[in-house]
Every structure is written in C-alpha cells, then in structure tokens.
Amino acid sequence: MIIMSNDSIRAIAWRDETLVLLDQRYLPQQETDFVCNKLSDVIDAIRLMVVRGAPAIGITAAFGVVISARDCFHQHGDQWKQFINADLKLLAAARPTAVNLAWAIEQMNGLVQECSSADPCDILLQKAQDMLLEDIQVNKAMGASGADLIERDSQVLTHCNAGALATAGFGTALGVIRSAFEAGKIKHVYADETRPWLQGARLTAWELVKEKIPVSLIVDSAAAHLMKQGDISWVIVGSDRIAANGDVANKIGTYSVAIAARYHGVKFMVVAPTSTIDMSLATGDLIPIEERSPDEMMQIEGHYFAAKGSNAWNPVFDITPADLVDAIVTEKGVIMQPNADKIRKLMSR
Ligand code: MRU
C-alpha cells in the first residue's frame, strides 16, 4: 500500500500469527506493542483501552474472531463452530457504546456461519485484513468529502482522538483535518485535551505533531472562550454511534462543545463511517453510555490528586442532538442538517 506523507501511523497489525496493537495507554511517552495471542488478550486490550476509538475497536474485534476461531478449531476440531458463540458474546461486551464493535463481530459471524467444519483461519483472517484496508479507504474518502466543506485558511477545533489511532489508519475527524491541511485549507488546529483520559493531549496532539500539522491544546473548558474570539470555522469530531434520527454519541464533552458552537455560529461536523450508524435505535437516548472507573478522573498515572473521600461520576460519552449537527460526513455521502429521513435515504444508497 502507498502511504501518503500525512498518513504514517498504523496502530493495528497482524504479524507472525498474532494481533499486534500499539499500546495507547503509554503514548506519547512510549511506543510499546501489546501482543494478543488469545481472545482474553483482545478483550483486555479493548476494555483497558490499549486500543480505543470506535472503528479501531471494531477492526480489533474482527481479528479477535480470527483468534477465537483458531483456538476453537485447535481444541474442538470439526466441532469448532459450536464453541465460538460464547466467545463472540464476551467480545461484544468488552465496551458498550461504540456500535462498530457489534457491527464488526456481526460481519465476521456472517462468514463464520458460511464456513464448513474445516480449519476456518485463512478465510476469517482474509476477511479481517479486508476490513482493515477498507476502513482506511473509507477514511480517505470521508477525508476528501469533509475537506470540501472547509474554506481556505480555516482554524478548526477537535475533541477526543478520532485519528489514525482510533481507526485502522488516517482517521475520521483527523482524516478530514489531514486532507484539508494537505489542500491548504487549514492553518491551525485546536485540540481539546479531553478529560479525563486525555485522548486530545496525548493522542491527537501526538498525531498532528508527527504529521507537522500546527496544533494548540486547550483545556476542555476553554472551548467556548476560544469560539468567542471569533476565528474558529468548524468543530470536527468523530462518533461512537449515531442513532437513526442523527443524534450523535461521542466522547464526553462533545455535547458542550456543540452547544457552544451553535451559540457562537461555529459549524459542527461529525465524520463517521456508516458502520457507526445504528438504525435499530430511533434516538440517541437509547444509546448505552459507558461509565468508567472514577479513578480515571481522580488520579493521573497512579497518583491521586482529588480529595480522598469524594465520590465521582465518570460517564465517558454523551449525546449531541441532531439539531446541533451541521454535517454528518460518511463514505456514502454527506448529510447537511441531519434528520431521520436523510439518514434513512443515505443508508439505503
Ligand atoms: O473512549 P474512547 O477513546 O474509545 O472514545 C473515542 C471517541 O469518542 C472517538 O471520538 C470516537 O470513537 C470516534 S473515533 C474515529
């Protein structure tokens, strides 16, 4: 594959019969691999956020199905199919909000059902590899479509990390930023640090510095103040799940940014493949919101800074109503001012 100059980061690879993940818990200080030999390694990697970001979780799970099928075949021979279902359920439960996880498992399971009782590894591995390459192509297509919406010399704001690290490569929101920068349309990127896990400070800033795209970090609560200065044209984010009416689940804090954007006349773009759209949920209220350990909020690298004895609530996603979204960019096309009708038409293309 040809890697463009603004596309140097790959965090998911199949090497020597194993799944190798760039361990995002240690970025940007260390670039360490996390090797998955068995299904429980894959589930841990998703749960502990070695790998994170909706499309990346999905692709990782696809390779998890390969590993599970390999183990089932080694243990049970031609009866392997009877044993894989329990594994797929465990894998699907690793994180609740990103629908790409269930989507990828469903894709792989469709092929599992078509397999004979013979060794399924090569067939399933080919499918997982295809899904990985397709994700990169989809991101490049969305990158070009999203960049078309942006005027020359724009400054933009992004939240969380929706980059190469959150996908098979190139990124969704950062894919648009990469393409628009390459086309001379973006002069500066502001990145919310993204409390509490600091995906913005640690991952988005790392990606943009690596690609030589000018970036300034801000604390999440500076976003409204930044927009008030008047020189941000778009907020550009990814998504973990989009409901059938266009409501968008994304990293906690996205909703506040969307409200601030509307108030200040800043446009709000969501970049996500159609595998992120969940037509089974009518509105965003039905999307399960993951809550993670309060420790993620109350300590940094194992050191408590919050007052001992205080409780904490740590929902890690929120829902931005479709009304606050100006554009949803997918590989099947762009929807302006999304609603249920427009989403239904897009999904039937
Ligand atoms: O908790 P995370 O880091 O997995 O959350 C990731 C996000 O919220 C991203 O913005 C989203 O998955 C889109 S990634 C292309």
Side-chain angles (χ1 to χ4, degrees):
M1 191 198 329
I2 299 165
I3 303 215
M4 288 152 60
S5 60
N6 62 355
D7 181 22
S8 60
I9 300 165
R10 293 290 180 268
I12 306 171
W14 183 264
R15 277 205 298 268
D16 303 330
E17 314 283 299
T18 58
L19 176 63
V20 183
L21 302 169
L22 176 58
D23 195 331
Q24 300 189 31
R25 296 171 300 175
Y26 302 119
L27 288 174
Q29 280 79 18
Q30 283 173 43
E31 294 181 29
T32 312
D33 286 344
F34 183 96
V35 178
C36 303
N37 288 303
K38 48 190 194 306
L39 184 73
S40 59
D41 298 333
V42 180
I43 293 172
D44 283 348
I46 294 173
R47 210 171 39 84
L48 301 172
M49 296 177 59
V50 169
V51 59
R52 31 66 49 205
I57 292 172
I59 302 298
T60 299
F63 286 105
V65 175
V66 177
I67 290 172
S68 160
R70 180 176 68 191
D71 290 351
C72 288
F73 184 74
H74 283 155
Q75 280 181 42
H76 307 287
D78 60 9
Q79 301 297 304
W80 68 271
K81 267 205 221 181
Q82 290 176 31
F83 296 87
I84 197 167
N85 243 344
D87 277 3
L88 300 194
K89 280 202 179 115
L90 286 176
L91 188 56
R95 286 190 79 189
T97 302
V99 74
N100 308 62
L101 175 61
W103 175 86
I105 294 171
E106 205 177 295
Q107 300 282 306
M108 295 299 287
N109 195 26
L111 189 56
V112 164
Q113 297 315 317
E114 287 170 22
C115 284
S116 68
S117 55
D119 186 346
C121 285
D122 290 348
I123 297 172
L124 294 176
L125 181 57
Q126 187 58 54
K127 170 84 176 166
Q129 300 275 29
D130 290 348
M131 285 167 73
L132 182 145
L133 291 178
E134 195 184 327
D135 188 59
I136 298 169
Q137 280 163 11
V138 157
N139 291 336
K140 290 189 174 165
M142 294 191 299
S145 309
D148 283 346
L149 300 174
I150 299 172
E151 308 278 315
R152 281 199 83 76
D153 285 334
S154 292
Q155 302 202 102
V156 299
L157 171 67
T158 189
H159 187 75
C160 194
N161 171 267
L165 293 169
T167 61
F170 201 65
T172 55
L174 287 197
V176 169
I177 288 172
R178 283 183 162 91
S179 300
F181 181 76
E182 191 98 335
K185 291 183 160 188
I186 287 185
K187 65 175 184 207
H188 204 88
V189 180
Y190 287 88
D192 285 341
E193 62 174 356
T194 317
R195 287 274 301 148
W197 212 75
L198 301 174
Q199 285 93 337
R202 301 193 304 104
L203 309 178
T204 296
W206 181 76
E207 284 199 31
L208 294 180
V209 167
K210 235 179 168 39
E211 315 283 21
K212 300 192 172 37
I213 299 177
V215 57
S216 297
L217 280 168
I218 57 168
V219 296
D220 300 348
S221 42
H225 181 63
L226 172 72
M227 292 179 204
K228 196 177 178 193
Q229 315 294 306
D231 200 16
I232 297 291
S233 43
W234 282 93
V235 172
I236 308 176
V237 296
S239 173
D240 289 80
R241 194 184 302 225
I242 299 175
N245 69 343
D247 291 349
V248 171
N250 193 47
K251 180 53 52 193
I252 191 76
T254 304
Y255 177 35
S256 323
V257 174
I259 292 171
R262 180 57 54 89
Y263 184 82
H264 292 100
V266 172
K267 283 171 284 175
F268 191 89
M269 184 193 304
V270 177
V271 189
T274 48
S275 53
T276 301
I277 300 180
D278 185 349
M279 294 302 282
S280 76
L281 300 183
T283 73
D285 293 342
L286 300 167
I287 297 176
I289 299 291
E290 177 182 12
E291 290 182 19
R292 293 183 66 87
S293 165
D295 286 352
E296 286 184 353
M297 289 169 59
M298 299 173 94
Q299 50 174 272
I300 286 187
E301 292 179 347
H303 301 293
Y304 268 87
F305 60 86
K308 287 249 164 77
S310 164
N311 297 313
W313 177 49
N314 186 22
V316 298
F317 297 98
D318 60 24
I319 307 295
T320 299
D323 283 356
L324 295 179
V325 177
D326 292 290
I328 295 182
V329 175
T330 75
E331 80 284 9
K332 290 191 176 182
V334 175
I335 303 179
M336 305 303 290
Q337 275 68 53
N339 60 30
D341 195 39
K342 292 179 188 176
I343 300 249
R344 197 174 42 249
K345 285 189 180 129
L346 174 91
M347 292 304 275
S348 62
R349 271 183 212 167

